Amino acid sequence: MSESWDEARRRGAALLAAAGIEGAARDAERLLRWAGGLEGAALAARGDEPAPIEARLRYDGALAKRAGRAPLSHIVGGREFWGRWFEVTKDVLDPRPESETMIAAALAEPEGAASPGKVLDLGVGSGALLATILSERPEATGLGIDASRAALAVAARNLAQHGLAHRAALRIGDWLDGLEEGFDLILCNPPYIAEAEVEALAPEVRDHEPRLALTPGGDGLDPYRRIAPDLAAFLRRRGRAFFEIGPDHAAPVSAIFAAFGWPQPILHRDMDGRDRCLEWRRKA
């Protein structure tokens, strides 16, 4: 017996809800659109039509993976970030809407700030942050650094996909070690989850995302301790540096940088009102 697109969507939503998936209806619809190669409006227009067997088989396989807590982005191959599509694999952190807080703040460019001629992304991962800034600021060039060669390969594909390969270099490295140039804009979304908190993460995160991109071990603050002593040497005059943080990290991270002469940072909160990003500005 054939199954319509609407029936498949409802069946998938019920299956995912029974598996405890938050946003089950949303995920079921996204997987059905992916399986059928349809955009949202096209799926709605075909609601009562029978879904082809090939699409249903693909959909059923995707539902089984999602019910097993595989991330949606790993099933469909990517995620949208700041209106652009980025490839996501098991080798990189899944770009999250919360990280768009940093993009919004970086693009604001307050009076007196330098234009972002040169951009540094520390822990570049998928390349979503770097690619977004370079796409929004076509006069800029960038450098992305990561300790994972596999992550750099994903970033390279994403930069190429968005036509940015000629404006961005990628380098394997350990934070600021070995750098010899200055930057107008520095972005960093480091691993900051404390070791003791990892097991409490959602299975989609804990079991599928690279552990090194989630936690540095200990209290989660070591990346900030590594970067703070040398930040002034690489942030140009009138430049700005942005660091994503955990919701409870504003005070301890501010204290780490204060020990090296940095003033109280500007705090940016995400769409849910949680502390999400710290900004430091270097004076002229």
Side-chain angles (χ1 to χ4, degrees):
M1 181 177 177
S2 61
E3 181 180 46
S4 72
W5 292 100
D6 276 349
E7 288 170 338
R9 178 176 51 78
R10 289 193 292 269
R11 175 173 61 84
L15 186 153
L16 295 183
I21 302 296
E22 186 176 348
R26 176 201 61 212
D27 284 8
E29 180 171 336
R30 178 68 186 90
L31 291 173
L32 186 58
R33 287 194 282 116
W34 169 80
L38 301 172
E39 296 299 327
L43 177 60
R46 288 168 169 77
D48 294 331
E49 298 176 9
I53 184 63
E54 297 84 358
R56 283 190 282 130
L57 289 173
R58 196 179 189 206
Y59 179 53
D60 287 348
L63 286 173
K65 291 179 181 178
R66 187 69 187 100
R69 306 309 288 262
L72 186 70
S73 61
H74 290 191
I75 300 170
V76 303
R79 176 188 282 273
E80 187 175 277
F81 182 84
W82 203 261
R84 297 179 178 87
W85 183 258
F86 291 93
E87 176 188 345
V88 176
T89 75
K90 63 180 178 58
D91 297 309
V92 298
L93 200 68
D94 200 339
R96 290 166 169 79
E98 293 87 347
S99 294
E100 292 185 346
T101 304
M102 188 187 305
I103 295 295
L107 292 175
E109 293 184 24
E111 184 177 354
S115 297
K118 293 189 69 175
V119 181
L120 174 64
D121 187 348
L122 292 170
V124 68
S126 68
L129 292 176
L130 182 59
T132 299
I133 291 294
L134 295 184
S135 296
E136 298 291 334
R137 295 293 180 264
E139 73 283 359
T141 60
L143 171 64
I145 294 177
D146 205 286
S148 166
R149 292 189 185 277
L152 290 175
V154 177
R157 293 194 293 271
N158 278 323
L159 288 164
Q161 173 191 335
H162 293 289
L164 299 167
H166 65 295
R167 292 170 49 206
L170 296 171
R171 184 186 306 172
I172 194 158
D174 189 10
W175 304 122
L176 293 169
D177 290 357
L179 286 181
E180 297 178 351
E181 55 190 315
F183 297 87
D184 305 299
L185 181 64
I186 296 177
L187 308 172
C188 183
N189 181 10
Y192 53 70
I193 297 173
E195 181 72 26
E197 298 173 354
V198 171
E199 288 306 310
L201 295 173
E204 291 88 340
V205 178
R206 183 192 64 223
D207 300 335
H208 294 275
E209 299 198 47
R211 192 177 182 91
L212 285 177
L214 294 170
T215 179
D219 64 0
L221 302 181
D222 278 353
Y224 307 105
R225 296 186 182 104
R226 287 287 312 281
I227 295 167
D230 300 317
L231 180 63
F234 299 102
L235 186 63
R236 290 174 168 174
R237 291 183 177 180
R238 300 191 298 121
R240 295 179 297 152
F242 294 85
F243 292 83
E244 184 162 321
I245 59 170
D248 301 321
H249 288 166
V253 173
S254 297
I256 289 169
F257 282 83
F260 296 94
W262 290 97
Q264 188 69 17
I266 298 167
L267 173 64
H268 299 278
R269 293 187 171 90
D270 64 24
M271 63 194 79
D272 294 320
R274 296 170 298 188
D275 295 353
R276 184 58 57 187
C277 175
L278 297 179
E279 173 188 355
W280 278 276
R281 300 175 182 176
R282 187 167 185 184
K283 297 180 179 179

